[in-house]
């Protein structure tokens, strides 16, 4: 189980907050020169445009400008992704039914999965207590987990596929709170990658941002919940999100109330 105690959590969070401030400042500083480069490349490209057929030299120059523009755009996208992630989210949590949210999100998404031969099942415990969540963001977290499961099941050599690719989305009540599980019977996560999957920019996919799981963690923790991963190579992977029941105080509040520091 990859998890953290709440003490480790707190110090990791304050470290993250500090690094976040530092890095967002840096990212903002990089943005301006980058957009100046982009504008100048645009002008350079216009200057290179000729009425007649371009000479070989002009063709070469145009090609180089194209490469530079592509790379600048890529840098701008990386910065945007980073700033979105670093800013954090101002979540608006409202008491609601987790099962309704799961049905709504998964039923729509399952059609895409079915088209690729992945079977998606919902196993929902009836009569769950409401959870206090921001539906938009919890859906985003859920979609990140579903997309990861989908990638794990579909982006592997045909010889390794069983033909019974499956994703289970479960909800249930436990003593810890209300649980949401996303389980796949894909390849699992090799030991050397397990420690890193929640690190920003860790990705084993071509074109992967590596911000999917850090975003999930960030959203869930802002909701006062936890996310952990269980995985076994060759068997599959399950992500578990534990959310607080809507009518229960945050652990900090409960402790403070017990000590009489809250009136
Ligand atoms: N269900 C899963 N099965 C196997 N590996 C997984 C699973 N979920 C995540 N991983 C591993 O964790 C890595 C990090 O996931 P994360 O969602 O943060 O980024 P990503 O999926 O690579 O990129 P993006 O989310 O931008 O598509 C993945 O690249 C993959 O190696
Ligand atoms: Mg992902």
């Amino acid at each position: 189980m990859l998890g953290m105690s709440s003490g480790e959590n707190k110090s990791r969070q304050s470290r993250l907050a500090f690094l976040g401030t530092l890095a967002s400042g840096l990212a903002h500083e990089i943005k301006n020169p980058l957009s100046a480069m982009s504008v100048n490349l645009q002008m350079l490209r216009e200057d290179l445009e000729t009425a007649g057929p371009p000479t070989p030299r002009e063709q070469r120059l145009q090609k180089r400008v194209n490469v530079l523009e592509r790379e600048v755009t890529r840098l701008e996208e990386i910065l945007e992704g980073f700033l979105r992630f670093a800013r954090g989210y101002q979540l608006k949590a409202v008491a609601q039914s987790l099962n309704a949210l799961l049905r709504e999100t998964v039923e729509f998404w399952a059609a895409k999965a079915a088209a690729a031969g992945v079977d998606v099942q919902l196993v929902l415990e009836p009569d769950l207590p409401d959870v206090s969540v921001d539906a938009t963001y919890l859906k985003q977290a859920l979609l990140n987990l579903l997309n990861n499961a989908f990638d794990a099941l579909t982006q592997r050599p045909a010889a390794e596929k069983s033909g019974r690719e499956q994703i289970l989305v479960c909800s249930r009540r436990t003593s810890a709170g209300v649980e949401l599980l996303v389980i796949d019977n894909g390849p699992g996560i090799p030991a050397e990658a397990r420690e890193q999957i929640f690190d920003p920019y860790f990705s084993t996919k071509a074109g992967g941002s590596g911000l999917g799981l850090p975003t999930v963690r960030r959203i869930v923790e802002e909701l006062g919940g936890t996310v952990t991963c269980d995985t076994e190579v060759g068997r599959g992977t399950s992500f578990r999100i534990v959310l607080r029941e809507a009518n229960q105080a945050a652990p900090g509040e409960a402790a403070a109330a017990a000590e009489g520091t809250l009136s």
Side-chain angles (χ1 to χ4, degrees):
M1 174 90 82
L2 307 174
M4 284 206 177
S5 73
S6 80
E8 276 173 281
N9 238 336
K10 280 236 161 56
S11 86
R12 191 178 54 78
Q13 274 177 354
S14 69
R15 218 168 46 240
L16 260 185
F18 171 70
L19 284 177
T21 313
L22 204 66
S24 322
L26 180 66
H28 273 293
E29 291 304 315
I30 296 174
K31 253 177 113 161
N32 291 333
L34 208 53
S35 70
M37 283 164 73
S38 158
V39 170
N40 278 279
L41 281 170
Q42 172 87 34
M43 293 192 297
L44 194 56
R45 173 207 285 290
E46 284 165 15
D47 280 349
L48 285 173
E49 268 162 21
T50 48
T55 63
R57 180 168 178 273
E58 283 167 345
Q59 269 181 346
R60 269 201 320 276
L61 288 174
Q62 273 168 2
K63 245 195 185 146
R64 288 185 182 144
V65 169
N66 287 345
V67 172
L68 284 171
E69 277 191 322
R70 218 176 34 239
E71 294 303 306
V72 166
T73 305
R74 218 166 74 84
L75 277 175
E76 284 175 334
E77 283 167 5
I78 291 172
L79 272 188
E80 275 311 312
F82 169 78
L83 284 170
R84 256 200 316 275
F85 174 72
R87 232 174 259 137
Y89 315 102
Q90 265 69 56
L91 300 189
K92 292 190 178 44
V94 176
Q96 58 199 288
S97 152
L98 177 65
N99 284 348
L101 185 143
L102 292 181
R103 268 192 218 103
E104 212 179 292
T105 316
V106 174
E107 277 169 11
F108 142 84
W109 185 87
K112 163 192 140 175
V118 175
D119 176 45
V120 184
Q121 298 289 334
L122 274 170
V123 183
L124 307 179
E125 187 174 300
D127 304 322
L128 284 180
D130 278 356
V131 288
S132 177
V133 296
D134 183 315
T136 309
Y137 285 100
L138 187 63
K139 275 184 193 170
Q140 190 191 328
L142 175 62
L143 285 172
N144 282 346
L145 294 182
L146 289 171
N147 287 331
N148 279 350
F150 179 82
D151 290 345
L153 291 167
T154 55
Q155 296 179 355
R156 56 197 305 208
E160 283 177 23
K161 289 187 193 167
S162 64
R164 299 171 57 92
E165 277 64 39
Q166 202 177 35
I167 299 175
L168 275 179
V169 179
C170 312
S171 67
R172 65 183 185 205
R173 186 181 197 176
T174 70
S175 56
V178 179
E179 273 186 14
L180 151 55
L181 296 145
V182 176
I183 305 168
D184 68 67
N185 60 354
I189 302 174
E192 62 277 14
R194 278 176 211 167
E195 299 292 312
Q196 289 170 276
I197 55 171
F198 287 103
D199 291 348
Y201 302 112
F202 176 79
S203 176
T204 57
K205 300 172 196 169
S209 74
L211 288 178
L213 287 176
T215 300
V216 171
R217 176 137 97 180
R218 177 143 216 172
I219 291 170
V220 170
E221 289 184 353
E222 283 194 29
L223 291 169
T226 57
V227 54
T228 49
C229 170
D230 265 308
T231 182
E232 196 181 327
V233 171
R235 301 276 317 257
T237 303
S238 93
F239 282 89
R240 174 197 315 263
I241 291 176
V242 183
L243 297 163
R244 283 204 321 266
E245 289 181 23
N247 58 4
Q248 291 199 342
E253 288 164 26
E259 285 162 19
T261 48
L262 281 188
S263 50

